Amino acid sequence: MAQESPKSSAAEIPVTSNGEVDDSREHGFNRDLKRSLPAGLGLSETQITSHGFDSTKEGVIEAGAFQGGQSTQAKSGPVLLADETKNPAMEKLELVRKWSLNTYKCTRQIISEKLGRGSRTVDLELEAQIDILRDNKKKYENILKLAQTLSTQLFQMVHTQRQLGDAFADLSLKSLELHEEFGYNADTQKLLAKNGETLLGAINFFIASVNTLVNKTIEDTLMTVKQYESARIEYDAYRTDLEELNLGPRDANTLPKIEQSQHLFQVHKEKYDKMRNDVSIKLKFLEENKVKVLHNQLVLFHNAIAAYFAGNQKQLEQTLKQFHIKLKTPGVDAPSWLEEQ
């Protein structure tokens, strides 16, 4: 009886009935190895080579993506991150789509109105006030331009009178036979130059106040009017869109579109009503402010011009004091904050 040679359990290689090597244990080992590896490991780069004691066969295990429950969890993380990454892009795309649709509707409404095919919402009272405001703005701008021209010409005249006064004063000292005559003219020209500077200060104050009224206060109201007109166009565009849908058939396909169009129409109607109310309020306050500002400035302009040409120096200076206008002396800089203290 032949004695069986002792073999180590590590060297035993099971063989199937067909004479093939049984890899069930090796597959079990590989499965346990895969389960023990951490999920975050780069398994596609990992290779494990096993050598049997009595076999030349190499078992190479390439740890790739798992097929079990743990691999599903590992995949779910990156998918969620990808969705989060796409969200901002999708939101921007949706905003661009809404903006394009809104622009198309408004452009179509404007073209329809210009061709006389589309209807537009008109508030007769408000439109009349807006037209008056725009017409008044043009007239105020013309007054402002003329006042600036007057200020420039008056400045040149005052500068010439001052130089002429200095020339007369110089000749008064050098011409003894005409000393008094040159002296009288020198004093007259210097007085005219001084009164001209006072009048120039009043005119410049008038220009500054009217400029603020025209280019800031009225312009701000007109910006609100432009927003109101844009809201009106959007309102009419979505109103026309809803009317066209209501004239068509009502079925399962058109009812959701009609409901969405009704919702958008209501949103733009509320925006239009709000802007119309804002314009009405601004026009009311503008009218009150305009009357107050122009009343004071027109009184100033009249009194200053009248006192200047009447030669009433005292009345001219009193007019400037009444409106708290301080003249800057030529060649004198403003005091520093230390001197003011």
Side-chain angles (χ1 to χ4, degrees), residues 149-218:
T149 303
L150 177 62
S151 175
T152 302
Q153 293 174 350
L154 181 61
F155 175 79
Q156 295 295 334
M157 185 181 72
V158 169
H159 180 68
T160 303
Q161 288 173 339
R162 190 182 300 111
Q163 290 181 332
L164 189 58
D166 293 339
F168 282 146
D170 183 61
L171 288 172
S172 175
L173 297 176
K174 296 180 180 179
S175 302
L176 298 179
E177 63 279 5
L178 297 174
H179 171 74
E180 294 183 359
E181 288 79 1
F182 279 125
Y184 294 151
N185 282 277
D187 294 340
T188 302
Q189 293 300 322
K190 289 181 180 179
L191 180 61
L192 289 174
K194 181 179 179 182
N195 292 341
E197 291 173 355
T198 306
L199 177 62
L200 191 61
I203 293 177
N204 288 337
F205 185 78
F206 172 82
I207 291 173
S209 299
V210 175
N211 181 66
T212 301
L213 175 66
V214 173
N215 294 321
K216 291 186 178 179
T217 309
I218 295 181

Side-chain angles (χ1 to χ4, degrees), residues 14 16-17 53 92 94 100 130 165 175 181 214-215 229 261 290-292 311 322:
T16 62
S17 59
F53 287 99
K92 291 181 180 180
E94 182 66 18
S100 302
I130 293 173
S175 302
E181 288 79 1
V214 173
N215 294 321
E229 291 175 343
S261 180
K290 181 190 70 174
V291 171
K292 182 179 178 180
Q322 179 183 353

Side-chain angles (χ1 to χ4, degrees), residues 316-336:
L316 183 59
E317 294 176 352
Q318 185 64 31
T319 301
L320 268 66
K321 290 181 180 179
Q322 179 183 353
F323 291 92
H324 308 287
I325 302 174
K326 295 182 179 180
L327 296 178
K328 181 179 179 182
T329 305
V332 178
D333 297 331
S336 65

Side-chain angles (χ1 to χ4, degrees), residues 6 44 75 94 107 109 178 183-184 238 273 294 296 318 335-336:
S44 60
K75 286 184 179 180
E94 182 66 18
T107 304
Q109 177 65 26
L178 297 174
Y184 294 151
Y238 284 91
D273 292 337
L294 288 181
N296 293 333
Q318 185 64 31
S336 65

Side-chain angles (χ1 to χ4, degrees), residues 7-60:
K7 292 182 180 180
S8 174
S9 60
E12 292 180 358
I13 303 176
V15 180
T16 62
S17 59
N18 295 329
E20 297 177 354
V21 179
D22 187 6
D23 294 336
S24 60
R25 290 188 180 181
E26 188 172 356
H27 288 318
F29 169 75
N30 294 340
R31 184 174 62 253
D32 295 338
L33 179 61
K34 290 179 179 180
R35 291 178 179 175
S36 64
L37 288 175
L41 186 62
L43 299 179
S44 60
E45 299 177 358
T46 305
Q47 290 186 345
I48 301 175
T49 306
S50 63
H51 299 273
F53 287 99
D54 298 334
S55 174
T56 60
K57 179 179 178 180
E58 286 188 357
V60 179

Side-chain angles (χ1 to χ4, degrees), residues 129-141 222:
Q129 293 178 3
I130 293 173
D131 290 340
I132 292 174
L133 175 62
R134 285 174 172 160
D135 185 60
N136 286 338
K137 183 174 184 289
K138 292 180 181 179
K139 294 178 179 178
Y140 296 154
E141 287 175 342
L222 289 178

Side-chain angles (χ1 to χ4, degrees), residues 120-129 228 272 276 280:
R120 65 188 298 264
T121 304
V122 179
D123 189 328
L124 295 178
E125 182 180 357
L126 189 61
E127 292 289 338
Q129 293 178 3
Y228 156 74
Y272 167 72
R276 180 174 59 181
S280 299

